[in-house]
Amino acid sequence: MATTSSMFMYSLTIQPPTSVTQAILGQFAGTKEQQIVTASGSRLTIHRPDPTQGKITTILSQDVFGIIRTLAAFRLAGSNKDYIIIGSDSGRITIIEYVPTQNQFNRLHLETFGKSGIRRVIPGQYLAVDPKGRACLIASAEKNKLVYVLNRNAQAELTISSPLEAHKPQTLVFALVGLDVGYENPVFAVLEVDYTECDQDPTGQAFQEVEKSLVYYELDLGLNHVVRKWSDPVDRTANMLLQVPGGGDGPSGVLVCGLDNITYRHSNQDAFRVPIPRRRGATENPERKRCITAGVMHKMRGAFFFLLQSEDGDLFKVTIDMIEVDNGQPTGEVKKLKIKYFDTVPIASNLCILKSGFLFVASETGNHHFYQFEKLGDDDNETEYDSDSFPADPTEAYTAVYFHPRSSENVNLVESIDSMNPQLDCKVANLTDEDAPQIYSVCGSGARSSFRMLKHGLEVNDIVDSELPSVPAAVWTTKITRDDEFDAYIVLSFDNGTLVLSIGETVEEVTDTGFLSSASTLAVQQLGEDALIQVHPKGIRHIRADRRVNEWPVPQHRSIVAATTNERQVAVALSSGEIVYFEMDTDGSLAEYDEKREMSGTVTCLSLGEVPEGRVRSQFLAVGCDDSTVRILSLDPESTLENKSVQALTSAPSALSIMAMPDSTSGGSTLYLHIGLYSGVYLRTVLDEITGELSDTRTRFLGPKPAKLFKVSVKGEPAVLALSSRSWLGYSDPQTKNFMLTPLSYVPLEWGSNFSSEQCTEGMVGIQGQNLRIFSIEKLGSNLLQQSIPLTYTPRRFVRHPEYPLFYTIESDNNTLSIETKQRLLNSETVVNGDGVVLSPEEFGYPRAQGHWASCIHVVDPINAKATLQQIDLTDNEAATTIVAVSFSSQSDETFLVVGTGKDVTVSPRTSSAGFIYIYRFLEDGKELEFIHKTKTEQPPSALLAFQGRLLAGIGNELRIYDLGLKQLLRKCQAQVVPNLVVGLQTQGSRIIVSDVQESIVYVVYKHQDNRLIPFVDDVVARWTTCTTMVDYETVAGGDKFGNLWLLRCPQKVSEESDEDSSGGHLVHERQYLQGAPNRLALMCHFYPQDIPTSIQKTQLVAGGRDILVWTGLQGTLGILVPFVSREDVDFFQTLEQHLRGEEAPLAGRDHLIYRSYYVPVKGMIDGDLCERYSLLSNDKKQMIAGELDRSVREIERKISHANEAAASLGLMETTPRSNVIAIIPAAPIIRRDDAQDFQTLVCKGESLIDRVIRRTTLVGNVFKESDLDAAWFWDEDEDFLPSPNILPALQDLGIPHDEEDVEFVEINQNIAIKIGNQEYPPTGGRYHNAYIAAGPRSTIIAQRNFSPRLLAAPGQKIPQLHRWSDVVWLAWTLLAGNDDKGQLRYIIRENITTKLTRRIMEYIKRARPDTNFLPWPGQLYDLASDEGKALLASPHGVGIAYLVADHSDVLGSKKYPVVCIFTAPTRDEGREEKNDYYMIWELRDPTEMDEMELDRLRTCRDMI
């Protein structure tokens, strides 16, 4: 990676590609259970089908960082395990195995045979294996074929031989398959074309006569070489081969699939051919021939059959009859070939038939389907055609055969697996007012296309929703004995009692359980072997197996306020603040510990961990108190209830849970303390199992309600159910073991517990209001929930309504009958019975017709109706091409929907008869569209954009500006700005970014006074642009059709020149460079993610988070690019990448750096997908890399997690470093939001303010004069007021004069009514009391008591336009300082800060940064490159500084880089609760006064901007 990049991005895949290009079936785990392995882009995934539930679950998914071209499964003779062969772009053949015990792929062999990349003569395009697992053949598209012999050595390990060549020059390969020949020499069948004569014949006659041949290649195992055994011509349209069982199972040979026919061929058999049946119907073209696109062979005991799929999705069952001898045994000689219609399923890239009776359809587009066989189609009424009626010669004609499609009878859909392939467009918006935005996408093709809403969450399976007689407070489930498999009771606690329900076939109330029903319950536990305990406010009830009850009463005048239990221990907290601890004796009774531990405050929550295996007790008790602390107490017999550690919190804890969970850092299990706060914040911290110390705290804001935590189990692993205003689940990722915190797509719950019964073995029970709910969580692998709305045709683009939560899609399909044409055919008099049946397009697709277009516009409501509200069909063979919502200034800023269409469009070569621009008006709050008019254009509009109250249109290679007229659009301006075709438009101000279909992008400026469009900068690389977005005014991010992402930037000087207020003549007459624009863009970042980007936009995925780039790929990929703000982070991740490339080499043998540099060397990008592989390394490799980086393993994983904070809404935890043990601090007030959330929000706001300050951009937009100050404010000089004694040391050290004659103390107020012009303003009470020191280079303003009119004015009261602190104080300063000193202002001091937000942020900095020196002067200094400096600049006491500097930089000059010093002093007001006062000193610095270190940080800040 180029280290000279000034911009760096962190690339992370949120959702990998969902398209399946390859799918194979096998017993990869070495058991009788079959698994499915799929390839999606560069990702290899293994799935486990569950025949009992009819579902498919993902076991493992791994990025191989290479293009997977082919997959094949093979098994060595006598083995029960299948291996996987990968053909990729690495120039190597890779053999891997799946290791179920480690849940990972293990590479066994990696053999190099050629160059990397996808090349015409480098093998990897085709792959076939011998059915007996003895050899494999890997071939290129032309010439080269290599055969590898597979065997095992004396240690039963897989071996692979050196390659044997089977090359044939000037030969193209179309298909390849291994023949089933039993244990004879392996044979491979290949479809080939020898083009030797075609290459030498300039007339083209040889091409017309060339033959396609079926060739057998035999591997002679004895002589160890490959021979060309047999060759015979086949149909020229042949495109696919399928293996026919041989040996004792069948006749061997292959099925050759061509256009409209299927032929059985073998070297020692006659040929047999059958036609592919065509659909019959009024809308079907009877002359259209079909071809086979996918097929699968399935062997059963004594029989086999084929399922072949045509391009329409129709499945045909093909069988082979063999000649039999007298006893009914087949001779192996083929008698006939038979074909019949079976069913219709979505068009597949691969079909897999499982032995358990299921069919997996890897769909080409849309969701993948999992079917169950109901029958094999042997007893239906479908016509069966056999080869006896058709000639075997491929050149002879035959009569076409037909069938009527019908609904599926033989297979039944049991599960649909979400897939967003192809994904055509995407928008990110928060239409539901949640804490994170949603992702809206259009995907799929034809009638199986859809509009999808993606949001962060886990899918919940709701089982029971039952209303209770009153509102319960809590719920538990419990077994009766330790060995019980399922829970026996549900215990519900109410305010005045307890209800016990038995769990069985029915749930009913029971009263003989021994539970006290007259009191509320605090805890329920199955204790020891066969006892139960119930903790209630007045005691502990110990219920023995024989129903004997032992009661422990609380001391008089006290009650239990909190309790925690495990299978051997009980701890309760009394209202007096005492902790009482019990432990189970050997006889099963509860023994109370002699001494009680008295806490300093009221106990709010307790937690005991589970008893570790082999031990008799949990070592620690966690105690939360209302003084905002958590204490860890020892339960060791020698130090019972002694304090081990204390952690201070920002709010009182509401829930605690000690739990051991899988940990990626240690590779095993780690003990964690989960903490919920009353402020709605969740914390997870590591609890040392030996010392009890707390470390590595991570936080997450759950919601405004107090957080409650419950231990649950999901997929056999411990998890934590966190409840606030939303329900969340904290769990370990099944693959990486990283901790994930993900919201549930479920109603908010008040209480939760585990639930297990015969009907639901692993579920949860919860309380929602007055309802009892039982639910389960089935899928942990995907934390993106999808809601789908079906569309009519393939969506092309969509746009959002500017005000309402509605979207408008344009859809079109080529070679498809439109609705009006289809209806005319159905109403024709020639339609006979049965042909007029209208087929469901979702199941059977649309009727095909060459040259026809079907297109429509949809109004989609994804929030309320969750359906399409209106459909507008386009007629006259028009197809929609682009869409935009435009607010026209000439129509009083009314917004219209503008749609571009093309008529009689031919995709390649690109032609059309006309183009149109349709104008629609929004009605009924956007729910309906009204057609206004349309405007004809020479070519179809390919890009539309709203631009300065008018319409900007890209038509061909021209850019045009239109305004709205009464009958059509009015052309105002046009220019030819790109060489080929405009495909995308972006704008800011008068600048337009124009994307060309194959020549990258061009920057164009619009000069309004001359009404001229002028291109002024373009790219040096010809990029086939697919999408773009403006990152800032100079920078553009985009993608191209070769799968690249890039960021380009316009040079600063060129950008400034283009915006000069002139006619642009210097741009027009500037000398062109290489027939392009006079200037060139600079490449900032470049990356190859493999998937073709279809959309990219700048947005936020977390409320208050930093801006990131979200991009989507054609194959369903969803990714983000997160900017780095620190060079230190860049260096860290670059070094980590280098180590991972060596220690975690890509599975398929592709070099990672070369892979990410497929077309252009990677620049300015960190591969987050590679960095996340760190958590999957072995502990030895982790420690080795950590040692090289001079960090601990946990620090590295924390750093990786921190880099993903931009994706925190996708389940990642924010990292907040804290000291291991924090001293007890006084109780902090309960706040509505976590300080960390406010801090991060202010950091983002500060970045925006810094941008304006550095760019000298006016923030307010109003320029006030000194006379305005006299008109709106009253002056009152205060000669007796002195600065606080606490700042005197600072004034002395900084050399600021502060004697009485040096200081002007002035209060400016609005205490009486004023009149400005004709407008009267009542008194607001606003006042600004400040001290002004005009002292040349030491000029200072001391802000003492300042109250804004906006803060003090009554609701709805009008206030003067001049009311901001920055404006009022600046005008006062200019009047008092005079012309000589006003530009020399250097210091602004904020005295005695009392604003709550500012103090909270300063206190947060002090807590979160233990090394912060918050002492009396000189205190702590922060510049704008630090997060602390950004947050303080955006605080109420810093934002006015930013406004003042930005708005008056013309006077202040180069002193525009504020730094802030914070210090404290003991308060002098005895009545205040706070012990210290906070002070800020802002210094306005000039870069010429900075040392090298300060300048370096300033450059970092500039780079970040």
Side-chain angles (χ1 to χ4, degrees), residues 42 81 181 223 298 310 417 509 690 721 867 905 1126 1260 1465 1494:
S42 63
K81 181 174 185 176
V181 293
L223 299 177
H298 183 64
S310 72
I417 302 149
E509 182 181 355
I690 305 300
L721 180 65
V905 176
S1126 161
V1260 181
E1494 291 175 317

Side-chain angles (χ1 to χ4, degrees), residues 634-656:
S634 171
L635 297 181
D636 190 273
E638 298 179 358
S639 57
T640 307
L641 298 183
E642 287 186 8
N643 196 48
K644 285 290 186 180
S645 63
V646 181
Q647 178 153 328
L649 307 169
T650 59
S651 173
S654 55
L656 298 172

Side-chain angles (χ1 to χ4, degrees), residues 948-962:
Q948 298 183 352
R950 295 189 285 184
L951 173 67
L952 190 66
I955 301 173
N957 60 357
E958 291 184 346
L959 194 61
R960 298 179 183 177
I961 298 178
Y962 287 98

